[in-house]
Amino acid sequence: MTLRFDGKRILITGGGGNIGTAIAQRLAREGAWVILTDLAVDRIDRVAQALRDGGGRAWTVSMDVTSPASIAAALDQAEQMTGGPLDGLVAAAGVLKIYDFLDLPKADWDFTLNVNLTGTFLVFQEVGRRMVRSGVKGHIVGISSVSGRSGRPNVVDYAASKAGVISLVRSAALALAPHGITVNAVCPGVVDSDMTRTVHSGRAALKGITVEESLAAMVNTIPLGRIQTPADVADVVAFLLSDDAGYMTGQSLNVCGGLEMD
Ligand SMILES: NC(=O)c1ccc[n+]([C@@H]2O[C@H](COP(=O)([O-])OP(=O)(O)OC[C@H]3O[C@@H](n4cnc5c(N)ncnc54)[C@H](O)[C@@H]3O)[C@@H](O)[C@H]2O)c1
């Protein structure tokens, strides 16, 4: 059987995180040449080593998605290490902090918007430029969230940044469509991850309950009746990176067990 991503160069930002790692594992299993990038180089080094130990092709490069110079240097290095231009990008770097709307400091608002929205824009733009220059009809995928679909009083900055990613995906898709490049996103729901534990430790503290109680109450509201795994997200990201999704662009798909339907 032909592997879907055989020899395709796909770069992941936030590759050391729970979701970025699952995406890297999924893509490597399907033959992709994976370039993991993150601020946390020790984490991506461990993930890449495990992929190589399993017979995959994987490289690591340090990248700060908020810095155009860091992005350009990392992409130069990625092209040099793998011997060619990128075929795909997954922008998974992200941050989240918990504050009530009335207490959210401007500095934290700025920080979240800078990493989650501006960082996604900067990486989309530089990868888009390089795909256009090299004539690659590539696939670009962002990670939004169901938080970007409605209001979130305790993660106001995060929800705004993720709504921004949905808008950015639409604009980038229109700009890059004439070059045959697709741009889409996924909106995960409640993923079994460190980030979700952060959300629920904040919520639990506000409500005077335990983290486990807060998580269980949330899982009760998920129509499919279970928490989402990082692999559930990776499955749909892989689809959007593949030619199976070649006629889709500008879309943000809810991948959330039915939690959000708009
Ligand atoms: N975990 C969830 O429940 C959930 C739900 C919906 C959406 N998401 C989104 O999915 C993406 C991945 O989430 P995760 O759960 O893997 O989070 P995570 O915290 O495990 O991973 C995020 C990664 O981004 C990296 N990062 C942070 N700032 C960076 C920067 N300036 N430059 C480069 N890398 C940076 C971190 O070092 C970390 O490795 C995020 O965009 C997140 O907002 C997560």
Side-chain angles (χ1 to χ4, degrees):
M1 199 180 106
T2 318
L3 295 171
R4 225 173 8 166
F5 301 111
D6 200 12
K8 297 280 185 198
R9 297 174 178 85
I10 303 178
L11 184 139
I12 304 169
T13 75
N18 296 118
I19 293 175
T21 298
I23 293 168
Q25 290 165 340
R26 172 64 195 251
L27 298 177
R29 265 207 316 278
E30 294 201 57
W33 293 12
V34 179
I35 305 106
L36 290 137
T37 72
D38 205 300
L39 281 178
V41 178
D42 52 332
R43 263 190 277 160
I44 47 176
D45 280 345
R46 278 198 298 275
V47 177
Q49 189 57 53
L51 295 180
R52 288 191 293 264
D53 290 346
R57 303 286 303 269
W59 294 261
T60 60
V61 196
S62 164
M63 183 198 283
D64 178 353
V65 299
T66 66
S67 157
S70 168
I71 294 167
L75 292 177
D76 285 346
Q77 215 182 320
E79 288 166 3
Q80 206 180 17
M81 286 185 310
T82 61
L86 293 183
D87 300 288
L89 165 73
V90 183
V95 291
L96 174 145
K97 292 184 188 179
I98 307 287
Y99 281 104
D100 250 347
F101 171 69
L102 295 179
D103 301 327
L104 174 62
K106 179 181 180 294
D108 290 87
W109 166 275
D110 289 344
F111 174 70
T112 305
L113 270 287
N114 197 29
V115 177
N116 294 4
L117 181 55
T118 307
T120 303
F121 158 68
L122 291 172
V123 176
F124 275 20
Q125 187 187 49
E126 188 55 29
V127 169
R129 283 175 180 150
R130 288 170 189 239
M131 283 181 176
V132 169
R133 233 174 15 234
S134 59
V136 170
K137 297 187 189 322
H139 302 301
I140 293 177
V141 179
I143 313 281
S144 177
S145 163
V146 292
S147 308
R149 299 284 194 197
S150 62
R152 293 287 189 275
N154 309 127
V155 285
V156 177
D157 47 347
Y158 182 81
S161 72
K162 295 300 183 179
V165 169
I166 293 169
S167 170
L168 170 66
V169 159
R170 292 174 176 156
S171 300
L174 288 175
L176 295 173
H179 304 281
I181 299 164
T182 68
V183 187
N184 294 291
V186 291
C187 298
V190 184
V191 182
D192 193 359
S193 65
D194 298 337
M195 193 175 270
T196 293
R197 295 214 146 254
T198 305
V199 172
H200 284 272
S201 52
R203 279 195 197 155
L206 289 169
K207 290 184 182 164
I209 56 176
T210 66
V211 177
E212 305 313 324
E213 285 168 339
S214 175
L215 260 171
M218 171 52 89
V219 170
N220 268 338
T221 68
I222 301 172
L224 285 181
R226 67 165 174 87
I227 197 164
Q228 180 172 2
T229 65
D232 291 325
V233 183
D235 290 346
V236 181
V237 169
F239 164 66
L240 291 173
L241 285 167
S242 77
D243 290 337
D244 295 339
Y247 199 61
M248 286 179 63
T249 198
Q251 309 302 312
S252 291
L253 302 183
N254 296 326
V255 185
C256 60
L259 197 57
E260 174 65 59
M261 295 194 180
D262 286 326

